[in-house]
Amino acid sequence: MTMASNKTQCFKCNKEKITYSCEGCSQRFCFVDLAEHKQLLHDELHIITNGYNEFKQRINEQKQNPQNHPLIKQIDQWEVNSIEQIQLKAQDYREVVIKSSQRFINDIEMKFNDLSEQIKQFHKENDFNEINLNYLTNQLRKITEELNDPSNISIQQNSQTFMNEISIISVIKSKSNKWKQNGITVAGGNGEGQEINQLDHPLAIFIDKKKNIFIADFFNHRIVEWKHNAKEGQIIADSNEQGNRMNQLNYPTDMIVDQQNHSIIIADFKNSRVVQWVGEKQQILIQNIVCYGLAMDKHGFLYVSDWKKNEVKRWKMGEYNNEGIVVAGGNEKGHQLNQLNCPTFMFVDEDQSVYVSDCNNHRVMKWRKDAKEGTIVAGGNGQGRNLNQLFSPQGIFVHDLGQIYVADNGNHRIMRWCEEKEEGEVIVGGNGKGNESNQLNSPTGLSFDDDGNLYVADWLNHRIQKFEIVL
């Protein structure tokens, strides 16, 4: 502060007095107001000093207690949350393992119970031979190996993430298997035609262990093979156009492929015969039968569905000269449990039970060996698109867990039914008829490869669609 030599107005009291200048704010104060002004400055300095002291204290506290850093608290919270998530995830995985293990045990138990029933039947009827005993021994060995196989379920870790993630790997084929809803065209798909990259109303299909596809190319009167990932097929039966000569076919509907013997048995529908092609040689196995579907059981018996007579007959291998044995239907056309109405495709299980797509009755029937009538295992509630109905069923596959897969032709979908259930579920298709990747147009044949991928003969789209299994 510097003293003034004359009187001036005080900044605070606005009176003419001897004043003194404040270098800080450049204002002039009288003596009294200057003292008050100084006190205010001292008070502000005190406040600032306290702030500095508090800041120093905070520095010292953080130096002495670095664990109190706010980020440490965030990390602590992250740890708690992460542990909770891991615990929840671990519980989920435990439940998956328990459910998978229980399902596996139940499946093994079902197979064991079936074998037990067969053994009881053999004891009761006292009618068995070495073939039966060998079969029982082999089946017991198989289910024992399944039960003892530790690889049925395992843990796979993902070491690429910060915290190792795990996933449960189960090779047990579950009843809840699902497939991608968008199919991949693996044969045909180039429009209706007879070129080697085209199909014309493909009806039945068969997938071998190398994922090669055999196709009954109905309107082209030929059987074609599409190698895995091939862009075109190759004709393996009938390159001589439509006809009734030995080396010709007339609307083939189904086939049985025996790659070991390079043999194909074909349902030659319009020629009313079952023929066998072995390389370039042909022979007629069965004549005068309006054959549609074919099947063969583990004993080598051949089953043929007769579209016109509404029955399924069985022949012993090499004994095709006789009339065959009726194993389903054969009681004229009708909808009673002992009748069929235009049977199409079939499946024969380990017990020689015959599953038949009863097309015009809109149902799938199961006929046990030597039964006088069948039981309805899918559909049977009239033509329709509800989950308890079918519309002209075609291709059929039966899994040993009691799952029945059906090409629901008129509803443009593939359905899965579990035996003794009142309704099925749509596994692919069911989005209206069309040619998009998630649509089908009157599907007929169906098959699976060894990885569980589903293949469908998409009849009116002239293509074969592959639907990959979701693991």
Side-chain angles (χ1 to χ4, degrees):
M1 303 285 182
T2 59
M3 185 176 293
S5 57
N6 56 350
K7 293 181 178 181
T8 56
Q9 188 179 29
C10 174
F11 176 76
K12 182 71 182 290
C13 65
N14 295 323
K15 296 180 179 179
E16 292 289 333
K17 293 182 178 182
I18 296 173
T19 59
Y20 306 88
S21 176
C22 174
E23 294 180 357
C25 65
S26 300
Q27 301 296 334
R28 300 188 71 83
F29 299 88
C30 66
F31 183 79
V32 175
D33 289 333
L34 179 60
E36 186 179 345
H37 183 63
K38 281 186 175 183
Q39 186 58 49
L40 290 174
L41 294 178
H42 278 289
D43 291 344
E44 288 184 16
L45 178 61
H46 181 70
I47 293 171
I48 292 172
T49 301
N50 288 340
Y52 271 82
N53 290 336
E54 290 177 1
F55 185 79
K56 184 177 180 179
Q57 184 179 356
R58 289 178 62 190
I59 291 175
N60 291 335
E61 287 177 354
Q62 291 198 19
K63 286 176 65 177
Q64 295 172 6
N65 303 294
Q67 70 276 7
N68 291 334
H69 193 287
L71 291 180
I72 296 297
K73 293 182 179 179
Q74 289 186 38
I75 293 173
D76 291 342
Q77 189 60 49
W78 169 82
E79 179 184 24
V80 171
N81 294 340
S82 298
I83 290 172
E84 289 178 354
Q85 291 180 26
I86 291 171
Q87 289 174 335
L88 291 173
K89 202 69 175 176
Q91 185 59 34
D92 289 343
Y93 288 140
R94 291 187 189 100
E95 291 177 3
V96 170
V97 170
I98 291 170
K99 289 179 181 179
S100 296
S101 178
Q102 192 60 50
R103 186 165 57 241
F104 172 65
I105 294 299
N106 290 340
D107 294 341
I108 292 293
E109 188 177 32
M110 286 174 58
K111 295 177 182 179
F112 175 76
N113 291 338
D114 287 343
L115 285 176
S116 297
E117 288 299 320
Q118 293 181 53
I119 292 173
K120 290 179 182 178
Q121 195 68 23
F122 286 143
H123 278 296
K124 180 179 179 181
E125 298 179 356
N126 196 25
D127 182 18
F128 55 90
N129 53 35
E130 291 83 356
I131 294 176
N132 302 128
L133 297 179
N134 287 335
Y135 166 71
L136 293 174
T137 301
N138 289 334
Q139 291 301 108
L140 181 60
R141 176 184 55 77
K142 285 172 62 178
I143 63 174
T144 302
E145 290 175 352
E146 286 186 54
L147 184 62
N148 295 333
D149 186 1
S151 64
N152 278 317
I153 188 167
S154 61
I155 289 178
Q156 176 176 294
Q157 292 198 48
N158 178 5
S159 60
Q160 301 300 315
T161 55
F162 174 67
M163 291 184 297
N164 287 355
E165 295 181 358
I166 65 173
S167 56
I168 306 301
I169 307 300
S170 174
V171 299
I172 304 166
K173 292 186 177 179
S174 163
K175 292 184 179 181
S176 60
N177 280 345
K178 296 185 182 300
W179 289 262
K180 294 181 180 179
Q181 295 303 294
N182 291 315
I184 303 168
T185 301
V186 291
N190 298 301
E192 174 184 352
Q194 58 184 358
E195 300 299 325
I196 56 175
N197 71 338
Q198 293 179 305
L199 297 170
D200 193 346
H201 295 81
L203 195 61
I205 53 176
F206 169 81
I207 316 299
D208 70 11
K209 293 186 178 298
K210 296 180 179 179
K211 296 184 174 61
N212 301 321
I213 309 168
F214 295 80
I215 307 165
D217 196 4
F218 187 72
F219 275 33
N220 279 327
H221 315 288
R222 65 191 185 187
I223 307 296
V224 294
E225 178 186 4
W226 285 62
K227 298 290 187 182
H228 182 52
N229 290 332
K231 300 299 182 184
E232 58 186 30
Q234 60 186 60
I235 300 170
I236 57 174
D238 190 13
S239 57
N240 298 284
E241 300 183 347
Q242 177 184 7
N244 60 7
R245 297 198 303 270
M246 284 294 294
N247 63 347
Q248 292 178 312
L249 297 173
N250 194 351
Y251 297 99
T253 52
D254 202 1
M255 74 228 144
I256 297 173
V257 180
D258 184 351
Q259 291 180 295
Q260 184 175 355
N261 297 317
H262 305 286
S263 164
I264 302 177
I265 297 175
I266 304 168
D268 194 5
F269 182 69
K270 283 291 186 178
N271 283 327
S272 300
R273 65 190 184 185
V274 178
V275 297
Q276 182 179 38
W277 288 57
V278 182
E280 298 296 322
K281 297 181 179 179
Q282 305 87 30
Q283 63 171 325
I284 298 174
L285 300 182
I286 304 169
Q287 298 188 77
N288 302 317
I289 182 170
V290 185
C291 49
Y292 195 106
L294 300 175
M296 186 171 286
D297 67 21
K298 63 183 179 181
H299 303 294
F301 287 95
L302 177 65
Y303 298 74
V304 184
S305 64
D306 191 325
W307 170 274
K308 185 176 181 180
K309 291 185 178 180
N310 301 292
E311 62 187 18
V312 176
K313 281 188 172 182
R314 183 184 69 198
W315 279 265
K316 187 175 183 180
M317 184 182 297
E319 297 182 5
Y320 301 117
N321 292 327
N322 60 38
E323 290 296 317
I325 299 173
V326 175
V327 294
N331 297 296
E332 302 182 344
K333 179 171 66 176
H335 62 271
Q336 301 300 320
L337 292 180
N338 68 340
Q339 295 177 306
L340 298 170
N341 189 349
C342 296
T344 56
F345 292 97
M346 298 174 296
F347 185 93
V348 182
D349 69 12
E350 291 281 316
D351 301 323
Q352 294 182 302
S353 294
V354 181
Y355 294 78
V356 188
S357 283
D358 193 6
C359 185
N360 287 354
N361 281 327
H362 312 291
R363 66 188 184 184
V364 176
M365 301 290 291
K366 177 181 180 180
W367 290 65
R368 295 186 180 276
K369 184 181 179 182
D370 300 325
K372 300 302 181 184
E373 64 180 27
T375 57
I376 301 171
V377 291
N381 296 297
Q383 174 186 320
R385 60 181 182 181
N386 294 324
L387 291 180
N388 68 342
Q389 294 177 304
L390 296 170
F391 185 178
S392 301
Q394 292 282 325
I396 182 173
F397 180 89
V398 181
H399 195 275
D400 55 10
L401 299 179
Q403 306 166 13
I404 304 161
Y405 295 85
V406 186
D408 194 4
N409 179 270
N411 286 321
H412 318 290
R413 64 191 184 186
I414 305 299
M415 296 194 70
R416 172 172 56 197
W417 292 64
C418 293
E419 287 195 47
E420 300 179 0
K421 296 293 184 181
E422 293 183 358
E423 63 182 30
E425 60 178 323
V426 180
I427 59 170
V428 298
N431 300 304
K433 69 176 180 180
N435 59 9
E436 299 297 328
S437 60
N438 69 338
Q439 292 180 306
L440 298 169
N441 195 347
S442 300
T444 50
L446 61 84
S447 187
F448 293 86
D449 64 23
D450 287 347
D451 294 329
N453 300 309
L454 169 64
Y455 296 73
V456 180
D458 198 3
W459 168 258
L460 292 181
N461 282 327
H462 315 290
R463 65 186 183 183
I464 308 300
Q465 292 292 91
K466 174 184 177 182
F467 295 88
E468 296 178 333
I469 191 169
V470 178
L471 299 176

Short mmCIF file of all heavy atoms in Angstrom, two decimals, residues 253 267-274 287-293 304-311 343:
data_model
loop_
_atom_site.label_atom_id
_atom_site.label_comp_id
_atom_site.label_asym_id
_atom_site.label_seq_id
_atom_site.Cartn_x
_atom_site.Cartn_y
_atom_site.Cartn_z
N THR A 253 -38.84 -94.13 -58.54
CA THR A 253 -39.30 -93.45 -57.32
C THR A 253 -38.36 -93.60 -56.13
O THR A 253 -38.27 -92.71 -55.29
CB THR A 253 -40.69 -93.96 -56.92
OG1 THR A 253 -40.66 -95.39 -56.86
CG2 THR A 253 -41.74 -93.52 -57.92
N ALA A 267 -36.87 -98.87 -57.62
CA ALA A 267 -38.31 -98.99 -57.82
C ALA A 267 -38.65 -98.32 -59.15
O ALA A 267 -38.71 -97.09 -59.24
CB ALA A 267 -39.07 -98.32 -56.67
N ASP A 268 -38.86 -99.14 -60.20
CA ASP A 268 -39.13 -98.66 -61.55
C ASP A 268 -40.66 -98.52 -61.67
O ASP A 268 -41.34 -99.41 -62.21
CB ASP A 268 -38.56 -99.65 -62.56
CG ASP A 268 -38.48 -99.08 -63.96
OD1 ASP A 268 -38.79 -97.88 -64.13
OD2 ASP A 268 -38.12 -99.84 -64.88
N PHE A 269 -41.19 -97.40 -61.17
CA PHE A 269 -42.60 -97.23 -60.87
C PHE A 269 -43.51 -97.51 -62.06
O PHE A 269 -44.39 -98.38 -62.01
CB PHE A 269 -42.82 -95.80 -60.35
CG PHE A 269 -44.22 -95.48 -59.97
CD1 PHE A 269 -44.81 -96.06 -58.85
CD2 PHE A 269 -44.98 -94.57 -60.70
CE1 PHE A 269 -46.11 -95.74 -58.48
CE2 PHE A 269 -46.28 -94.24 -60.34
CZ PHE A 269 -46.84 -94.84 -59.22
N LYS A 270 -43.33 -96.81 -63.17
CA LYS A 270 -44.24 -96.94 -64.31
C LYS A 270 -44.07 -98.26 -65.05
O LYS A 270 -44.99 -98.71 -65.76
CB LYS A 270 -44.04 -95.77 -65.28
CG LYS A 270 -44.66 -94.45 -64.83
CD LYS A 270 -46.18 -94.51 -64.86
CE LYS A 270 -46.79 -93.16 -64.54
NZ LYS A 270 -48.27 -93.18 -64.62
N ASN A 271 -42.93 -98.90 -64.89
CA ASN A 271 -42.72 -100.22 -65.49
C ASN A 271 -43.19 -101.33 -64.56
O ASN A 271 -43.08 -102.52 -64.92
CB ASN A 271 -41.26 -100.44 -65.86
CG ASN A 271 -40.86 -99.70 -67.14
OD1 ASN A 271 -41.67 -99.54 -68.05
ND2 ASN A 271 -39.62 -99.26 -67.21
N SER A 272 -43.70 -100.97 -63.37
CA SER A 272 -44.25 -101.94 -62.41
C SER A 272 -43.27 -103.07 -62.11
O SER A 272 -43.61 -104.26 -62.18
CB SER A 272 -45.58 -102.52 -62.92
OG SER A 272 -46.52 -101.47 -63.10
N ARG A 273 -42.05 -102.67 -61.78
CA ARG A 273 -41.04 -103.69 -61.50
C ARG A 273 -39.96 -103.12 -60.57
O ARG A 273 -39.77 -101.90 -60.49
CB ARG A 273 -40.39 -104.18 -62.79
CG ARG A 273 -39.60 -103.11 -63.53
CD ARG A 273 -39.18 -103.56 -64.91
NE ARG A 273 -38.33 -102.52 -65.57
CZ ARG A 273 -37.89 -102.60 -66.82
NH1 ARG A 273 -38.22 -103.66 -67.58
NH2 ARG A 273 -37.14 -101.64 -67.32
N VAL A 274 -39.29 -104.02 -59.88
CA VAL A 274 -38.11 -103.67 -59.09
C VAL A 274 -36.91 -104.26 -59.82
O VAL A 274 -36.87 -105.47 -60.08
CB VAL A 274 -38.20 -104.23 -57.65
CG1 VAL A 274 -36.93 -103.90 -56.87
CG2 VAL A 274 -39.43 -103.67 -56.94
N GLN A 287 -41.61 -108.45 -60.50
CA GLN A 287 -42.43 -107.92 -61.58
C GLN A 287 -43.88 -107.74 -61.11
O GLN A 287 -44.29 -108.24 -60.08
CB GLN A 287 -42.40 -108.87 -62.78
CG GLN A 287 -41.01 -109.06 -63.39
CD GLN A 287 -41.07 -109.84 -64.68
OE1 GLN A 287 -41.43 -109.31 -65.73
NE2 GLN A 287 -40.72 -111.12 -64.61
N ASN A 288 -44.62 -106.99 -61.93
CA ASN A 288 -46.06 -106.81 -61.72
C ASN A 288 -46.38 -106.24 -60.34
O ASN A 288 -47.25 -106.73 -59.61
CB ASN A 288 -46.80 -108.14 -61.92
CG ASN A 288 -46.58 -108.71 -63.31
OD1 ASN A 288 -46.61 -107.98 -64.30
ND2 ASN A 288 -46.33 -110.02 -63.38
N ILE A 289 -45.65 -105.21 -59.97
CA ILE A 289 -45.90 -104.53 -58.71
C ILE A 289 -45.74 -103.02 -58.93
O ILE A 289 -44.73 -102.58 -59.49
CB ILE A 289 -44.94 -105.04 -57.60
CG1 ILE A 289 -45.27 -104.34 -56.27
CG2 ILE A 289 -43.48 -104.85 -57.99
CD1 ILE A 289 -44.55 -104.95 -55.09
N VAL A 290 -46.75 -102.25 -58.56
CA VAL A 290 -46.66 -100.79 -58.72
C VAL A 290 -45.86 -100.26 -57.54
O VAL A 290 -46.39 -99.72 -56.57
CB VAL A 290 -48.07 -100.16 -58.80
CG1 VAL A 290 -47.96 -98.67 -59.08
CG2 VAL A 290 -48.91 -100.84 -59.87
N CYS A 291 -44.56 -100.46 -57.63
CA CYS A 291 -43.65 -100.18 -56.52
C CYS A 291 -43.41 -98.68 -56.37
O CYS A 291 -43.28 -97.95 -57.35
CB CYS A 291 -42.33 -100.91 -56.72
SG CYS A 291 -41.63 -100.66 -58.36
N TYR A 292 -43.37 -98.23 -55.13
CA TYR A 292 -43.07 -96.83 -54.87
C TYR A 292 -41.87 -96.71 -53.94
O TYR A 292 -40.85 -96.13 -54.29
CB TYR A 292 -44.30 -96.13 -54.25
CG TYR A 292 -44.22 -94.63 -54.27
CD1 TYR A 292 -44.99 -93.89 -55.15
CD2 TYR A 292 -43.38 -93.93 -53.40
CE1 TYR A 292 -44.92 -92.50 -55.18
CE2 TYR A 292 -43.30 -92.55 -53.43
CZ TYR A 292 -44.07 -91.84 -54.32
OH TYR A 292 -44.00 -90.47 -54.36
N GLY A 293 -41.96 -97.23 -52.72
CA GLY A 293 -40.86 -97.15 -51.76
C GLY A 293 -40.15 -98.47 -51.61
O GLY A 293 -40.73 -99.54 -51.80
N VAL A 304 -41.10 -103.67 -50.16
CA VAL A 304 -41.59 -102.87 -51.28
C VAL A 304 -43.02 -102.43 -50.99
O VAL A 304 -43.88 -103.24 -50.62
CB VAL A 304 -41.57 -103.68 -52.60
CG1 VAL A 304 -41.98 -102.79 -53.77
CG2 VAL A 304 -40.20 -104.30 -52.84
N SER A 305 -43.27 -101.13 -51.12
CA SER A 305 -44.65 -100.63 -50.97
C SER A 305 -45.33 -100.66 -52.33
O SER A 305 -44.79 -100.17 -53.32
CB SER A 305 -44.65 -99.21 -50.38
OG SER A 305 -44.03 -98.29 -51.26
N ASP A 306 -46.52 -101.25 -52.37
CA ASP A 306 -47.31 -101.35 -53.59
C ASP A 306 -48.37 -100.26 -53.57
O ASP A 306 -49.36 -100.34 -52.83
CB ASP A 306 -47.96 -102.74 -53.68
CG ASP A 306 -48.58 -103.01 -55.05
OD1 ASP A 306 -49.11 -102.05 -55.66
OD2 ASP A 306 -48.53 -104.16 -55.50
N TRP A 307 -48.17 -99.24 -54.39
CA TRP A 307 -49.04 -98.07 -54.43
C TRP A 307 -50.48 -98.45 -54.80
O TRP A 307 -51.42 -97.91 -54.25
CB TRP A 307 -48.45 -97.09 -55.45
CG TRP A 307 -49.29 -95.92 -55.84
CD1 TRP A 307 -50.25 -95.87 -56.80
CD2 TRP A 307 -49.24 -94.60 -55.27
NE1 TRP A 307 -50.80 -94.61 -56.89
CE2 TRP A 307 -50.19 -93.81 -55.95
CE3 TRP A 307 -48.49 -94.01 -54.27
CZ2 TRP A 307 -50.40 -92.47 -55.67
CZ3 TRP A 307 -48.70 -92.67 -53.98
CH2 TRP A 307 -49.64 -91.91 -54.67
N LYS A 308 -50.62 -99.41 -55.72
CA LYS A 308 -51.95 -99.77 -56.23
C LYS A 308 -52.70 -100.70 -55.29
O LYS A 308 -53.90 -100.52 -55.05
CB LYS A 308 -51.81 -100.41 -57.61
CG LYS A 308 -53.14 -100.71 -58.29
CD LYS A 308 -52.93 -101.25 -59.70
CE LYS A 308 -54.25 -101.53 -60.40
NZ LYS A 308 -54.04 -102.05 -61.78
N LYS A 309 -52.00 -101.69 -54.74
CA LYS A 309 -52.66 -102.67 -53.88
C LYS A 309 -52.72 -102.22 -52.41
O LYS A 309 -53.28 -102.93 -51.58
CB LYS A 309 -51.96 -104.03 -53.98
CG LYS A 309 -52.14 -104.70 -55.33
CD LYS A 309 -51.52 -106.09 -55.33
CE LYS A 309 -51.73 -106.79 -56.67
NZ LYS A 309 -51.12 -108.15 -56.67
N ASN A 310 -52.13 -101.08 -52.12
CA ASN A 310 -52.18 -100.51 -50.76
C ASN A 310 -51.65 -101.50 -49.72
O ASN A 310 -52.31 -101.81 -48.71
CB ASN A 310 -53.61 -100.08 -50.41
CG ASN A 310 -54.14 -99.04 -51.38
OD1 ASN A 310 -53.66 -97.92 -51.43
ND2 ASN A 310 -55.10 -99.47 -52.19
N GLU A 311 -50.43 -101.96 -49.99
CA GLU A 311 -49.81 -102.91 -49.07
C GLU A 311 -48.29 -102.80 -49.14
O GLU A 311 -47.74 -102.21 -50.08
CB GLU A 311 -50.23 -104.34 -49.40
CG GLU A 311 -49.80 -104.79 -50.78
CD GLU A 311 -50.35 -106.16 -51.18
OE1 GLU A 311 -51.32 -106.63 -50.57
OE2 GLU A 311 -49.81 -106.74 -52.13
N PRO A 343 -49.59 -96.11 -50.04
CA PRO A 343 -48.34 -96.03 -49.27
C PRO A 343 -47.18 -95.57 -50.16
O PRO A 343 -47.09 -95.96 -51.32
CB PRO A 343 -48.15 -97.46 -48.78
CG PRO A 343 -48.84 -98.31 -49.82
CD PRO A 343 -50.03 -97.50 -50.25
#
